[in-house]
Amino acid sequence: MHSPSPRPLAAHRPAAPLAGTLRVPGDKSISHRALMFGALAVGQTRITGLLEGEDVLRTAAAMRALGAEVTQDGPGSGTWRVAGRGLGGLVEPADVLDMGNSGTAARLLCGILASHPIFAVMTGDASLRRRPMRRVTDPLAACGARFASREGGRLPLAIEGARDPLPLEYRVPVPSAQVKSALLLCGLNAPGLTRIEEPEATRDHSENMLRHFGAEVGVEEQGRTRIITLRGQPELRAADVAVPGDPSSAAFPLVAALLVPGSAIRIEGLGLNPLRIGLFDCLREMGADITIENTRIQGGEPVGDVVARHAPLRAIEVPWERAPSMIDEYPVLAVAAACATGTTRMLGLKELRVKESDRLSATAAMLTANGAKVEISGDDLIVYGTGRPPAGGGRVETHMDHRLAMSALVMGLAADAPVTVDDASFIDTSFPGFVALMNGLADNGGVEPLRAP
Ligand code: S3P
């Protein structure tokens, strides 16, 4: 798993435009869920296109520790099989569950464990051990589960799942698909109706996949609020899952192509769930040349090909309501905004403070270190674009955050001087092969634009 030694990396502006047709690794959110639902269903689930990044491998290991048989068809194949235990059939893990860097894995697993009558202890890396868990453990406790944690509800965390779990009724106070999904997963093994209200729609992969596995899920919209209901203890039947490409990973080559003059790339087989593609809306409003082709439905999720070409960008205001649909994309949008003409305001970014790092401060620091002018005002990020890439030449602290590392490297492909990151090793949590893929897009006379400093 993760290597303890930091891996610095520098990004240089390529001599030629970026060009090519590519696929990005499987969607991280869908990959976690496919393994978890597969483990809870009866029968064998076959998953193709699974993201074989460290975060998802942690989920695979945890589901194995809970008694599911999880096997990979061949190294790097992306094809996995899960022989499920059936709802309520998980066994007590013999050791601590280590969720590495993954908040999604940790929080969703809390939901599963809360309604299983077993004892488990969960931990994670230094980044995950700093992240708030009360947002899931407080509402989950109402089902009868007991949690003991470090101060502030942080990992390591001990869970004693409920013997006779009660269904939950909860209004999620922050827009969080992780919290919503944890409660739905808990409700799976409780009798009766679990009812969740979310003030803003967040990614609905759990709802889609629950239906795909045969559960009864209702969604009602009341203005901006969504009410999701789940009938507990369904017959969860194993179902094959074809995982689409992750739009959050595609954001990096996509923005790079928009910023490097003359570039044109095509990304195939990308997940295009409307609750995930706020970044595309922003970039189009900024004047980006992005077209979507060949759209289709794959396993209940919209999928298509995306073509992006370099174009000059202009500043926009990003409304706070858009945040849940692009929550992981702000660092790379900030890079695009720094290259655009005018002042971009990104509103309502409070949730960015509790990601793999405090992404709001870290994004501002990344840009400042490379000569861009930015400001944090309350929960808003303001980027003063100059119409041309920042000077670069800075060293970026990535704080164990894969998306900061990739955003900084994208900036380095456009900046005047190379941009260096202190540690690129965390990129493997979500985007194994990122460096080779980006280098493959640039015909740079045999010299790789992303290389050790
Ligand atoms: C995720 C939800 C988001 C996102 C994370 C994956 C998920 O977190 O940042 O990378 O798979 O449900 P929140 O829902 O907590 O904002």
Side-chain angles (χ1 to χ4, degrees):
M1 282 279 182
H2 198 84
S3 87
S5 48
R7 217 179 329 131
L9 198 70
H12 304 248
R13 186 156 65 197
L18 305 181
T21 295
L22 59 137
R23 280 180 181 267
V24 294
D27 189 278
K28 182 154 73 70
S29 296
I30 297 176
S31 295
H32 284 300
R33 287 160 173 81
L35 290 168
M36 289 178 180
F37 287 124
L40 294 172
V42 174
Q44 194 187 76
T45 287
R46 183 168 174 270
I47 308 167
T48 49
L50 188 87
L51 167 63
E52 292 173 345
E54 288 185 12
D55 278 14
V56 174
L57 298 180
R58 295 286 180 175
T59 290
M63 300 328 289
R64 253 186 223 125
L66 291 164
E69 222 176 274
V70 183
T71 48
Q72 185 185 25
D73 266 14
S77 67
T79 301
W80 289 61
R81 287 166 208 272
V82 185
R85 301 284 307 185
L87 268 181
L90 298 182
V91 301
E92 190 159 272
D95 203 348
V96 172
L97 302 169
D98 185 348
M99 308 322 291
N101 193 250
S102 178
T104 308
R107 296 200 178 107
L108 268 54
L109 199 56
C110 279
I112 293 177
L113 294 170
S115 59
H116 278 78
I118 52 181
F119 174 79
V121 180
M122 190 188 290
T123 192
D125 70 11
S127 155
L128 186 56
R129 279 184 272 117
R130 280 192 290 268
R131 297 179 68 184
M133 298 300 287
R134 280 229 176 100
R135 53 176 55 202
V136 289
T137 56
D138 281 356
L140 286 170
C143 86
R146 294 201 306 169
F147 296 90
S149 70
R150 280 166 68 222
E151 170 279 323
R154 304 196 196 252
L155 297 180
L157 178 75
I159 305 167
E160 212 181 299
R163 197 151 293 280
D164 297 303
L166 300 167
L168 299 170
E169 245 188 63
Y170 190 64
R171 180 175 168 84
V172 186
V174 287
S176 169
Q178 293 181 355
V179 176
K180 170 179 67 177
S181 301
L183 303 181
L184 286 171
L185 282 161
C186 173
L188 270 177
N189 200 33
L193 207 64
T194 289
R195 183 178 184 283
I196 301 158
E197 264 187 53
E198 56 176 0
E200 296 289 321
T202 64
R203 63 189 72 189
D204 58 358
H205 306 303
S206 296
E207 295 91 312
N208 295 343
M209 206 179 287
L210 277 167
R211 290 199 190 95
H212 188 58
F213 278 75
E216 209 185 293
V217 182
V219 179
E220 191 195 318
E221 297 193 3
Q222 287 182 1
R224 306 195 61 81
T225 300
R226 279 195 177 198
I227 299 161
I228 300 131
T229 48
L230 167 70
R231 169 103 16 231
Q233 298 180 328
E235 281 285 312
L236 270 198
R237 290 181 306 271
D240 290 352
V241 180
V243 183
D246 195 324
S248 298
S249 296
F252 301 105
L254 189 95
V255 170
L258 298 177
L259 299 185
V260 176
S263 298
I265 64 165
R266 181 186 181 87
I267 309 178
E268 292 186 336
L270 203 56
L272 295 172
N273 183 310
L275 294 167
R276 291 289 299 280
I277 54 173
L279 175 75
F280 295 3
D281 298 335
C282 291
L283 292 170
R284 280 197 176 127
E285 288 169 13
M286 293 171 85
D289 182 352
I290 298 176
T291 49
I292 293 178
E293 298 171 359
N294 199 12
T295 48
R296 55 207 184 267
I297 297 289
Q298 179 182 301
E301 293 279 347
V303 175
D305 304 336
V306 176
V307 179
R309 292 186 183 80
H310 167 75
L313 303 178
R314 53 183 179 269
I316 55 163
E317 180 168 296
V318 185
W320 60 269
E321 312 90 89
R322 203 175 280 172
S325 69
M326 53 175 294
I327 193 67
D328 293 332
E329 281 69 80
Y330 283 100
V332 78
L333 177 65
V335 169
C339 305
T341 311
T343 302
T344 292
R345 291 169 201 281
M346 306 174 202
L347 309 181
L349 305 189
K350 193 164 178 223
E351 278 297 297
L352 283 198
R353 296 191 190 275
V354 291
K355 293 297 174 189
E356 285 82 335
S357 66
D358 173 350
R359 259 186 204 157
L360 187 49
S361 308
T363 299
M366 163 183 77
L367 291 172
T368 308
N370 286 285
K373 198 173 156 226
V374 295
E375 203 184 309
I376 296 172
S377 166
D379 295 327
D380 304 338
L381 182 65
I382 303 162
V383 180
Y384 299 91
T386 58
R388 61 173 323 283
R395 183 179 164 90
V396 175
E397 300 227 12
T398 51
H399 304 280
M400 307 176 80
D401 188 331
H402 53 132
R403 298 202 200 277
L404 270 175
M406 288 186 276
S407 301
L409 294 168
V410 166
M411 175 163 53
L413 292 175
D416 296 332
V419 172
T420 307
V421 297
D422 61 348
D423 188 5
S425 64
F426 283 88
I427 291 174
D428 291 346
T429 59
S430 69
F431 200 153
F434 170 79
V435 174
L437 182 143
M438 296 303 289
N439 281 336
L441 292 176
D443 180 5
N444 202 36
V447 187
E448 294 177 328
L450 305 189
R451 56 184 188 264

